[in-house]
Amino acid sequence: MQINKAILEIFDFTSSLAVYSEHELKVGDESIQEYIGAHVTKAMKDSGLRLGTLHEYNPMGKEIVAYRQGDKSFVELSKELSERTFDYMKQATDAVVIDGIICEAVTDVNYLCILLCQAHDAYTHQLFSEEDGTLATELVPHKAVLPNPSQKLRSFVAIRLDDLSVRLFEPKGEYDGEVAYILADKVLQVGTDQSSRDTVRKVKTIVDKVSEAYESDGVKAMAMVKQLISKNAEVSDTVDPVRIVEQVFSTNPVQQEAAKKELAEQDMMRPLPVNREFATKVGQQHKIKTDTGIEISFPVEYMKNREFIEILTNDDGTLRIEVKNINKIMNK
């Protein structure tokens, strides 16, 4: 990850004040390069990313095309993006301080990125000498400290400069009485698909709901969903919810149709984008919880191997779980 250009803008929603820089950050500084690059790299892999495309004829699309063609400077584009963002967010955001970093990041292609970093309070130490020459230490509070690279950004946008495709995540906010995504719906005016996390969650919820309604083995069905999503991610960056429910309920056409009806209501009757790394992890572990409060987590593939775990029905209708071929038990 290479950061070619970057600029820092300050949004102080506690006083409704914004400060727009007239100069770029010194991205030749290794610490700045590493800080911004680490955040962008992490955000690009987030399972909450939603995908869309910014059209050239919409207001921000035109500005970005002008920048791409050299008709607008990076500082000018950053200010226009930031002013638009602040104007919408000040009506929808709590009294916080947010630093906006606008940058041009390069992987195999060039991206224009918006990083919204919500500031927080933090403390550090200070060392000083007393009048008698002895050393003393004290805690020093710092306001408006930015999140470190291991922490998640408040919001993130990456726009490919060649085709204006967009990937972003952000919380919803209430604007003029309407709950909306401020960056997607207002600033960029771009429609997006749901995120990988939402797609997987909805498929799992539908399968669980149908299994429970028809009193079938919901644990087995859920483990199969996870395994199918994980295996599919090995070869594809989309997931087809229809195909998944067809395979999970392959022996029960009634459940198949019930699941497809639920998918149709969620507008999921088509292949949807999915983060392959996230989807692969989905199929690694399955967790179940009994009504007696016992929780068990195990590799998904064990559901197909009775040599390791088996769920059986007792004569009185209650269930029992048998965990087999164990050599050692450890506390966690």
Side-chain angles (χ1 to χ4, degrees):
M1 177 67 65
Q2 173 69 33
I3 306 301
N4 283 347
K5 301 176 182 178
I7 198 164
L8 177 67
E9 319 282 25
I10 301 172
F11 306 145
D12 186 348
F13 296 106
T14 63
S15 58
S16 294
L17 174 68
V19 179
Y20 306 112
S21 177
E22 297 179 356
H23 300 277
E24 296 179 23
L25 292 173
K26 298 176 182 179
V27 295
D29 186 314
E30 186 176 352
S31 61
I32 294 176
Q33 184 76 212
E34 289 180 353
Y35 179 79
I36 300 175
H39 267 304
V40 173
T41 299
K42 178 180 171 64
M44 286 283 200
K45 298 178 181 178
D46 195 282
S47 62
L49 285 172
R50 295 176 289 118
L51 310 181
T53 300
L54 184 65
H55 296 290
E56 295 185 5
Y57 53 76
N58 89 5
M60 286 316 308
K62 290 179 181 178
E63 300 299 334
I64 293 172
V65 170
Y67 167 70
R68 186 177 66 190
Q69 295 174 343
D71 298 327
K72 185 177 293 291
S73 73
F74 182 72
V75 172
E76 290 172 332
L77 176 64
S78 298
K79 185 177 181 181
E80 289 174 10
L81 266 171
S82 299
E83 285 179 334
R84 193 174 176 88
T85 299
F86 182 76
D87 286 344
Y88 282 113
M89 288 188 68
K90 70 182 180 183
Q91 301 179 56
T93 304
D94 295 332
V96 295
V97 176
I98 294 176
D99 282 5
I101 298 175
I102 315 295
C103 70
E104 183 179 310
V106 182
T107 53
D108 51 336
V109 295
N110 285 35
Y111 291 93
L112 179 71
C113 298
I114 305 171
L115 292 70
L116 297 188
C117 313
Q118 184 165 330
H120 61 277
D121 295 345
Y123 290 82
T124 187
H125 64 261
Q126 181 173 293
L127 178 66
F128 63 94
S129 298
E130 296 284 8
E131 292 182 359
D132 60 2
T134 59
L135 294 178
T137 58
E138 65 178 21
L139 283 175
V140 180
H142 283 266
K143 302 291 185 180
V145 175
L146 298 184
N148 65 53
S150 65
Q151 296 174 309
K152 186 171 180 175
L153 298 168
R154 177 191 174 97
S155 305
F156 173 77
V157 179
I159 304 168
R160 273 185 62 151
L161 289 176
D162 57 353
D163 63 7
L164 300 186
S165 60
V166 178
R167 55 183 73 185
L168 60 82
F169 63 74
E170 61 175 319
K172 281 188 174 181
E174 185 172 333
Y175 176 81
D176 197 21
E178 171 194 4
V179 176
Y181 290 111
I182 301 302
L183 292 176
D185 299 339
K186 304 299 180 182
V187 177
L188 299 177
Q189 298 177 14
V190 59
T192 61
D193 288 319
Q194 63 191 14
S195 69
S196 299
R197 184 170 56 233
D198 285 341
T199 295
V200 171
R201 176 182 57 80
K202 288 179 180 179
V203 171
K204 288 163 58 179
T205 298
I206 288 170
V207 168
D208 189 48
K209 179 179 178 180
V210 172
S211 297
E212 184 176 347
Y214 289 86
E215 298 182 345
S216 58
D217 190 344
V219 174
K220 182 178 179 181
M222 189 61 65
M224 188 173 180
V225 168
K226 290 184 174 183
Q227 195 164 40
L228 288 171
I229 291 173
S230 181
K231 291 293 289 183
N232 175 78
E234 295 176 5
V235 296
S236 176
D237 56 5
T238 64
V239 62
D240 188 345
V242 174
R243 187 176 179 186
I244 288 175
V245 300
E246 286 177 345
Q247 293 181 68
V248 172
F249 300 121
S250 60
T251 61
N252 194 318
V254 175
Q255 286 179 283
Q256 265 193 47
E257 290 307 310
K260 287 180 181 179
K261 182 180 178 181
E262 295 283 345
L263 289 175
E265 291 177 359
Q266 297 282 347
D267 190 25
M268 296 175 65
M269 296 291 286
R270 67 191 191 284
L272 295 168
V274 68
N275 180 293
R276 294 173 73 169
E277 183 179 346
F278 169 72
T280 300
K281 290 180 180 179
V282 166
Q284 292 177 351
Q285 291 289 120
H286 187 57
K287 187 175 183 179
I288 58 176
K289 182 177 181 179
T290 71
D291 56 1
T292 57
I294 297 173
E295 296 184 12
I296 301 175
S297 179
F298 54 88
V300 169
E301 63 266 22
Y302 282 13
M303 278 301 296
K304 290 186 175 181
N305 192 335
R306 296 185 178 181
E307 292 184 6
F308 293 104
I309 188 169
E310 191 172 5
I311 301 175
L312 302 166
T313 303
N314 298 317
D315 293 338
D316 61 0
T318 59
L319 301 174
R320 72 178 185 273
I321 302 172
E322 294 185 3
V323 184
K324 309 172 185 179
N325 292 317
I326 300 169
N327 294 317
K328 186 178 181 180
I329 295 178
M330 297 172 287
N331 291 313
K332 297 290 286 185

